[in-house]
Amino acid sequence: MGEALALAARADEAGDVPVGAVVVDASGAIRGRGYNRREVAHDPTAHAEVLALREAASALSSWRLDDCTLVVTLEPCLMCAGAILQARIPRMVIGAWDAKAGATGSQWDVVRDGRIGAKVEVVSGIREAECARLLTAFFEQRR
């Protein structure tokens, strides 16, 4: 989560919502990194999770990330939850919950929805206060 928080700070510096994500392989090595880049890239899909999944898939030469864990500072949205399922990520570690748009346990629980055969293990609340503080500070500056 420390690396994901550092990446979230980079998003904040670039003027984007401070969310960072890493994909870790079974040995604990980071295989993908991402932070929100929607503003810089002018790309609505440039979420931290999607970018980290893309980098990990490239590094591992496979879109199937079934031995990996996604670590992210904020609960993923619907789009990112779908990408997590498509990548076959079996485990996810979340810092802060997203009570407005979270899709992995708060508003929706797409990654554990039995109707689509989803079985992602979700571990939440890791360094939650730090993750939430970054987000709170970002939005307070813009209000």
Side-chain angles (χ1 to χ4, degrees), residues 1-13 16-24 30 32-38 46-53 69-77 80 84 92-96 126-127 130-132 134-135:
M1 187 62 77
E3 179 66 15
L5 279 161
L7 290 164
R10 289 180 66 185
D12 191 12
E13 292 166 6
D16 214 323
V17 178
V19 178
V22 295
V23 175
V24 181
I30 295 175
R33 292 173 171 82
Y35 58 92
N36 277 3
R37 296 184 45 82
R38 295 174 306 161
H47 288 208
E49 302 93 324
V50 170
L51 298 175
L53 291 171
T69 299
L70 175 69
V71 180
V72 61
T73 58
L74 179 66
E75 179 186 8
C77 69
C80 293
I84 290 161
M92 183 175 34
V93 176
I94 299 170
I126 306 303
R127 296 177 73 171
E130 291 172 77
C131 295
L134 270 176
L135 292 158

Side-chain angles (χ1 to χ4, degrees), residues 101-125:
T104 63
S106 61
Q107 287 299 311
W108 302 279
D109 199 354
V110 174
V111 298
R112 294 180 287 193
D113 190 326
R115 293 172 294 178
I116 55 176
K119 296 177 182 146
V120 178
E121 175 188 0
V122 177
V123 178
S124 62

